Amino acid sequence: MNTPIIIALYACAVIGNSAIAQSSPAKLNGTPSADAVNAALEANNHSRPKEASNVKVGRFLQAAISKQKTSQQVLESPFLTFKNDSRVQVYITLKDTSEQSLTHLKEHSLIIEIENSSLNKIQGWVDIDKISALSQLENVTRITAPTYSRAHAGRVTTQGDSILRANQLRNLGVTGKGVKVGIISDGASDWRTAANSGDLPNNITTYGSCTKRSADPQNCRSRLTCNEGTAMAEIIHDIAPDAELAVAAVSTSLEFIQQINRLANTFGADIIVDDLGFYGEPYFEDGDLARAVSSLPSNVLYFSSAGNAANIHYERQYSATSNSRHNFGSQSGGNDDAIGFSIGANRGAFVLLQWNDRYEQPNSNYDLFVFDQNSEIDNSTGSNTTAIEGTCIYNSSSTEAVRFAVIDKISGSDRRLEMFFLGANAIEYPTPAGSVFGHAGTRRALAVASINSDKSSVAFYSSRGPTRIDYPSFENRAKPDMAATDGVSVTGAGGFPTTFFGTSAAAPHAAAVAAQLLSASDDVTPQKVRSALLASASGGGGGSDVGSGRINAFAAFERLNVTISATDPSSPLSPEDKKKVITPILILLNDE
């Protein structure tokens, strides 16, 4: 193994209101023990079963069942959510969702939360030791772990209202009146706190629920305030104060599908915006979420955050070293069968691998191992019923630590490999291109990138395109579509940070400007708004960093070439409101 390339890491910290602190460069040097790697891979190959023990049960559930049998306790996992120690949340795919079929499931103590008849999928809770019996039911085709969301939050301050010239458009009386905006996030549990301070209206509609939690770095679970939706709503209300708002709280992909349809069909949203990434969804084909977004009514404008993974993403075609391990050094003409990544003190990094095979029917099998410099730490191995591997690596020390990931091809053909190192400080061979995926990568969604307030180029963490699709046919979709500024002062209701940042903040900025434009005249259609935003954006030119560029509310309005509809004279902002200043505050990238 060659010595990894040195990576410089620049971290931000909370230093009053304006200063930026830079850390010393973190060096990703050293390699794991070659003997330890060889021993771990050899032991894995010897112990590998000829076939999956239960092809109906997903590999992450299989691993949890196996651990429970050997340790007599359920171990937490970023892929699984447990309740009362033994009850686990699952997806069950059925041949049909008839009443008789659901009755059979309930007889096995399944508590059903969501029934999606169009996908023939059920979300529910079941005792882990009853999963094998459930899988034997004739109507059951698959039992898997749910796909969970992660918010796309980042770490830069901006003053988006003036930079995007939304304030100039609002001064003309274009305030989003008559437009409904639906928000998908982790929730808005304390939105009334912001309403009481005048930062939100008193008539927000909410759907779903969220339970707050502390950070659990040992299991790669970030802190959850249940108020990212509150912060998104505040951004939209600042820019389009007369728009009607709804916030839907989601955690799983089935909840996401349920809520976007509720926002579109029950709330009647003209615009929907989300800031969530589902890293368990397929990277190389349109999964359930992507298809659901693409199927929304054509008169609904859809915005999604592009993601904050540019600097923690890796993607390359599999290239063998002298054995079956992937050569991470091939991009620079070297020979390196491990990729280094750093984890902060008392932090967890969630390492994920997918390859461009049919997601639920892969013909190839790759295993993922993680090592320190001496021995194996963890692995994600076994017969693959889906084309995904993943593991949580926890650094319990008081200093930053370097770990190494190794990919071993077990069987099948050479595939495109894609990895995310969620929570890592830096990785050895970062590949920004291709880090936009999933529903944000559909043609239907407008994926929004981030540009810092003091710069004209994309933020270093803002995910880049294109979005590669291999099934059912090859596509390279141009992404992201546009960019917006990515930070604004918010109330911090419910314990959310007082500065909202990252593409999670950029997306609601874009949605708010769209609400302004849609309210400008009865002659303005959603398609005209979409076209005006893309045509008037600047600094992009359709590139993989910021798409058409940073949006410009006033320039987009001018492109519409319409006369402003008559409005209530009380709707434009008062002079005092127009003078509102957004105070920049710097805050850490990490959710904790």
Side-chain angles (χ1 to χ4, degrees):
M1 300 180 189
N2 291 344
T3 301
I5 297 173
I6 294 174
I7 297 290
L9 170 67
Y10 299 97
C12 292
V14 181
I15 311 289
N17 290 336
S18 59
I20 296 179
Q22 275 187 195
S23 69
S24 300
K27 298 180 179 180
L28 299 181
N29 54 9
T31 61
S33 162
D35 290 340
V37 174
N38 289 331
L41 270 59
E42 184 177 354
N44 176 64
N45 290 334
H46 280 294
S47 63
R48 178 177 299 279
K50 298 296 182 183
E51 297 179 356
S53 57
N54 188 337
V55 294
K56 284 188 176 183
V57 179
R59 65 174 323 280
F60 299 121
L61 282 173
Q62 285 191 42
I65 292 170
S66 176
K67 287 180 180 179
Q68 187 202 36
K69 288 179 178 178
T70 57
S71 65
Q72 298 303 310
Q73 64 178 355
V74 175
L75 302 179
E76 291 292 334
S77 162
F79 297 99
L80 302 172
T81 297
F82 293 94
K83 182 186 293 184
N84 299 328
D85 293 333
S86 63
R87 193 172 288 275
V88 64
Q89 195 173 36
V90 297
Y91 283 171
I92 301 179
T93 305
L94 306 168
K95 294 177 182 177
D96 67 75
T97 54
S98 64
E99 184 176 346
Q100 182 181 14
S101 174
L102 299 185
T103 299
H104 285 166
L105 295 178
K106 293 175 183 177
E107 288 173 352
H108 286 74
S109 302
L110 177 73
I111 300 174
I112 297 176
E113 292 181 302
I114 296 175
E115 172 194 340
N116 190 313
S117 55
S118 63
L119 296 174
N120 281 337
K121 284 187 177 180
I122 298 295
Q123 176 180 307
W125 295 88
V126 65
D127 198 288
I128 195 167
D129 62 13
K130 296 185 183 296
I131 290 177
S132 295
L134 265 177
S135 69
Q136 300 307 311
L137 296 179
E138 183 181 354
N139 193 43
V140 173
T141 61
R142 291 272 289 162
I143 304 178
T144 61
T147 302
Y148 292 105
S149 65
R150 290 180 69 97
H152 285 151
R155 61 167 145 185
V156 179
T157 60
T158 63
Q159 295 174 316
D161 188 39
S162 59
I163 290 174
L164 302 179
R165 298 180 68 191
N167 57 340
Q168 295 179 33
L169 188 53
R170 193 169 57 252
N171 289 346
L172 298 178
V174 182
T175 62
K177 187 173 184 178
V179 177
K180 292 186 174 185
V181 183
I183 299 165
I184 298 277
S185 189
D186 67 353
S189 296
D190 296 280
W191 70 268
R192 287 182 178 84
T193 302
N196 290 338
S197 64
D199 292 277
L200 281 180
N202 292 313
N203 60 341
I204 288 181
T205 301
T206 59
Y207 299 104
S209 61
C210 176
T211 302
K212 296 182 180 182
R213 71 177 182 222
S214 300
D216 179 14
Q218 190 167 355
N219 293 298
C220 296
R221 293 177 183 271
S222 59
R223 180 174 65 119
L224 193 61
T225 67
C226 298
N227 279 289
E228 193 147 324
T230 303
M232 294 173 72
E234 289 181 31
I235 290 174
I236 295 170
H237 185 60
D238 280 347
I239 292 174
D242 288 329
E244 186 177 344
L245 304 178
V247 182
V250 305
S251 175
T252 71
S253 57
L254 284 187
E255 291 170 7
F256 186 101
I257 293 169
Q258 180 187 62
Q259 298 296 15
I260 61 170
N261 286 310
R262 184 173 287 169
L263 288 173
N265 301 314
T266 303
F267 176 66
D270 302 291
I271 298 166
I272 296 177
V273 56
D274 82 81
D275 74 330
L276 300 176
F278 291 79
Y279 289 85
E281 282 287 291
Y283 302 161
F284 296 102
E285 62 185 90
D286 287 333
D288 293 341
L289 282 185
R291 290 192 295 270
V293 168
S294 297
S295 299
L296 285 170
S298 59
N299 63 338
V300 177
L301 273 170
Y302 196 94
F303 294 86
S304 185
S305 56
N308 295 336
N311 60 319
I312 52 170
H313 171 259
Y314 173 84
E315 185 175 341
R316 281 290 185 277
Q317 186 72 16
Y318 170 80
S319 174
T321 56
S322 57
N323 44 53
S324 58
R325 301 166 208 164
H326 174 58
N327 180 14
F328 289 95
S330 61
Q331 66 191 76
S332 56
N335 192 38
D336 190 350
D337 60 3
I339 180 171
F341 62 99
S342 61
I343 311 173
N346 193 32
R347 299 279 183 177
F350 193 8
V351 185
L352 288 154
L353 164 69
Q354 285 193 30
W355 53 97
N356 65 333
D357 216 336
R358 282 286 189 183
Y359 184 70
E360 292 191 348
Q361 296 176 319
N363 294 315
S364 301
N365 190 1
Y366 290 83
D367 282 349
L368 171 67
F369 294 80
V370 176
F371 299 82
D372 60 16
Q373 293 188 358
N374 300 308
S375 61
E376 179 186 2
I377 298 172
D378 202 356
N379 70 74
S380 182
T381 63
S383 299
N384 286 92
T385 54
T386 48
I388 185 172
E389 297 279 342
T391 188
C392 174
I393 304 300
Y394 173 55
N395 172 24
S396 61
S397 72
S398 59
T399 59
E400 185 177 45
V402 176
R403 300 291 183 252
F404 302 90
V406 173
I407 298 174
D408 191 32
K409 189 177 83 168
I410 304 303
S411 63
S413 57
D414 295 353
R415 296 288 185 176
R416 186 80 171 177
L417 306 177
E418 184 165 9
M419 303 180 73
F420 288 94
F421 295 78
L422 305 177
N425 286 341
I427 69 174
E428 184 180 0
Y429 300 109
T431 314
S435 49
V436 180
F437 73 97
H439 65 280
T442 61
R443 298 190 185 281
R444 179 72 170 78
L446 289 165
V448 186
S450 296
I451 295 179
N452 296 174
S453 59
D454 59 345
K455 296 181 175 64
S456 59
S457 59
V458 65
F460 74 92
Y461 49 79
S462 183
S463 292
R464 271 72 151 178
T467 297
R468 172 172 172 155
I469 297 294
D470 285 79
Y471 301 100
S473 58
F474 181 80
E475 294 181 65
N476 257 336
R477 296 173 181 167
K479 290 286 170 178
D481 298 278
M482 60 184 65
T485 44
D486 71 335
V488 60
S489 293
V490 292
T491 63
F496 192 81
T498 53
T499 298
F500 192 21
F501 42 86
T503 57
S504 281
H509 275 91
V513 169
Q516 284 185 297
L517 297 172
L518 200 56
S519 70
S521 169
D522 293 337
D523 295 329
V524 178
T525 65
Q527 186 54 49
K528 287 181 179 179
V529 170
R530 181 185 179 110
S531 299
L533 284 172
L534 293 171
S536 59
S538 60
S544 62
D545 290 353
V546 294
S548 296
R550 183 161 52 197
I551 61 173
N552 184 318
F554 200 82
F557 170 72
E558 290 179 323
R559 276 196 166 268
L560 290 174
N561 194 27
V562 296
T563 301
I564 298 175
S565 298
T567 60
D568 185 332
S570 64
S571 62
L573 293 183
S574 66
E576 182 177 347
D577 288 332
K578 292 177 185 178
K579 295 177 182 178
K580 183 178 180 181
V581 176
I582 300 170
T583 304
I585 303 174
L586 199 64
I587 197 159
L588 288 170
L589 170 64
N590 295 302
D591 310 52
E592 292 85 354

